[in-house]
Amino acid sequence: DESGAVIPVSLENGVVKITQPSIKGDVNNDGKVRSNDAMLALRIAAGLMVPSDYQKWAADMNDDGKIRSNDAMLILRKAAGLAAPEIQPVATGSGESTVMLGESHGVAGERITVPLMVDNVHQLASGDICIAYDSAVLRAVEVSSDSEVLLQSNVAEPGMIRIAFAGTDGLNSKTVAKIQFDILADDVSPLTLKQVELYQSDALLVDSQKIDGVFSSWAI
């Protein structure tokens, strides 16, 4: 310093990292945008994996700071060579969609399948859905889909199911997914749609309403 005294100095080394040029939508960073990148984005949306900083950037196609099924849908469109869709007004009124879980029945020890239904499927391209149930009565086993969509589900948390699905355009079936449950007890369990976010092919939200379901044992 100005009086000649030694100033304590701490040293911190640095690193120079050489990386390949990044491509938006290339979630696995292999230099190409393919359907497997959309699948990774769906896994992130469903809470099945924790993304790296690069993956957060690459998967967030609409730059809204969140990774959802609409980002996976945009990645799919890019992988298929489809141009970015024109932005349309968010669907309202008669254009809204209804998500439904119906009534289901069985007895303890059986396995049942509960369909997740959506109407106005022609305007839907992707969605994020969260379903709650009583884990003392039911146990979610797996989620499958007959529709031509990419689908990822997370049933690891008891009492909760997270589903993320995406296609390049409108859906072709009102049954978005089929949820299999093991019946643990002869009782009643609500099947509650805790969160529903549906998107058009332009990645904008579609107005939606929810109709919850219920399971009740034949024994009661």
Side-chain angles (χ1 to χ4, degrees), residues 99-104 114-115 131-133 188-193 210-216:
V99 183
M100 299 159 282
L101 288 168
E103 294 186 10
S104 57
V114 177
I131 301 167
Y133 64 94
V188 176
S189 170
L191 301 171
T192 306
L193 291 158
K210 301 177 288 185
I211 300 178
D212 295 330
V214 64
F215 164 81
S216 57

Side-chain angles (χ1 to χ4, degrees), residues 5 7 14 23 55 60 84-85 90 111 159 161 181 190 208:
I7 298 175
I23 303 173
Q55 289 172 327
D60 185 13
V90 178
R111 178 169 292 185
I161 303 168
F181 290 96
S208 61

Side-chain angles (χ1 to χ4, degrees), residues 34-185:
R34 297 173 173 155
S35 60
N36 56 350
D37 294 301
M39 186 64 75
L40 287 176
L42 278 182
R43 289 182 61 81
I44 296 169
L48 293 170
M49 63 178 286
V50 178
S52 65
D53 288 341
Y54 168 80
Q55 289 172 327
K56 289 179 182 177
W57 172 84
D60 185 13
M61 291 292 287
N62 60 3
D63 291 320
D64 66 354
K66 298 178 180 179
I67 300 172
R68 298 184 174 126
S69 63
N70 56 348
D71 294 302
M73 180 266 297
L74 292 174
I75 294 173
L76 266 185
R77 290 184 64 87
K78 188 171 183 177
L82 297 172
E86 295 182 4
I87 295 178
Q88 302 294 333
V90 178
T92 57
S94 61
E96 73 178 8
S97 290
T98 301
V99 183
M100 299 159 282
L101 288 168
E103 294 186 10
S104 57
H105 306 277
V107 294
E110 291 183 344
R111 178 169 292 185
I112 59 171
T113 300
V114 177
L116 175 64
M117 308 287 290
V118 181
D119 65 0
N120 285 341
V121 293
H122 63 280
Q123 69 175 345
L124 304 179
S126 64
D128 299 282
I129 298 174
C130 182
I131 301 167
Y133 64 94
D134 188 344
S135 60
V137 180
L138 300 171
R139 178 175 61 239
V141 179
E142 67 176 0
V143 180
S144 60
S145 177
D146 293 333
S147 301
E148 295 178 0
V149 297
L150 291 177
L151 182 144
Q152 287 288 297
S153 62
N154 185 353
V155 297
E157 181 182 352
M160 193 69 64
I161 303 168
R162 300 183 187 278
I163 299 171
F165 64 91
T168 56
D169 213 331
L171 306 185
N172 59 8
S173 173
K174 290 186 176 182
T175 302
V176 174
K178 296 178 180 178
I179 308 168
Q180 291 191 12
F181 290 96
D182 283 341
I183 304 173
L184 305 180

